[in-house]
Amino acid sequence: TGSRTCTECGKGYHVIFDPPINKDVCNECKGELYQRDDDKEDTIKSRLKVYHEQTAPVVEFYQKKNISMAINGLGKKDEVFQRITDIIEWG
């Protein structure tokens, strides 16, 4: 819920981890920052509810059959992509 996006240039910020110099103002173009609808608390709560009701049981099903693999999704996109392709090539 801490993400903010510039209305002008689209640059992203986070109120705790990467805040702008001036609250609600983009460092790059001085555009206004806003919170996207999909970053609001109610939306996130709804997504988590759907995940726990619909996705988690599917993950558990495949884990019990030992036909799933966990991949660390932290890092740069190319690093995560390489982890995925390594698993696919291994499997």
Side-chain angles (χ1 to χ4, degrees):
T1 60
S3 296
R4 300 294 183 269
T5 305
C6 178
T7 57
E8 299 296 318
C9 71
K11 180 166 174 48
Y13 296 89
H14 191 278
V15 297
I16 296 171
F17 303 112
D18 185 23
I21 295 169
N22 297 308
K23 186 178 184 237
D24 300 327
V25 178
C26 178
N27 296 347
E28 304 294 320
C29 73
K30 307 301 181 219
E32 180 183 355
L33 302 181
Y34 74 101
Q35 184 179 34
R36 295 183 343 215
D37 287 341
D38 63 338
D39 285 332
K40 293 185 178 173
E41 188 173 348
D42 288 343
T43 304
I44 293 169
K45 283 181 180 180
S46 176
R47 283 184 178 165
L48 286 171
K49 182 176 187 260
V50 169
Y51 172 82
H52 290 294
E53 290 175 353
Q54 298 178 17
T55 305
V58 174
V59 172
E60 186 178 335
F61 173 82
Y62 286 107
Q63 286 173 335
K64 285 180 180 177
K65 292 185 171 285
N66 290 322
I67 55 174
S68 70
M69 306 225 30
I71 296 172
N72 181 350
L74 297 177
K76 296 179 181 177
K77 286 187 272 187
D78 59 332
E79 295 169 343
V80 176
F81 179 76
Q82 186 60 55
R83 289 182 204 127
I84 294 168
T85 56
D86 289 348
I87 293 293
I88 292 170
E89 290 170 2
W90 176 79

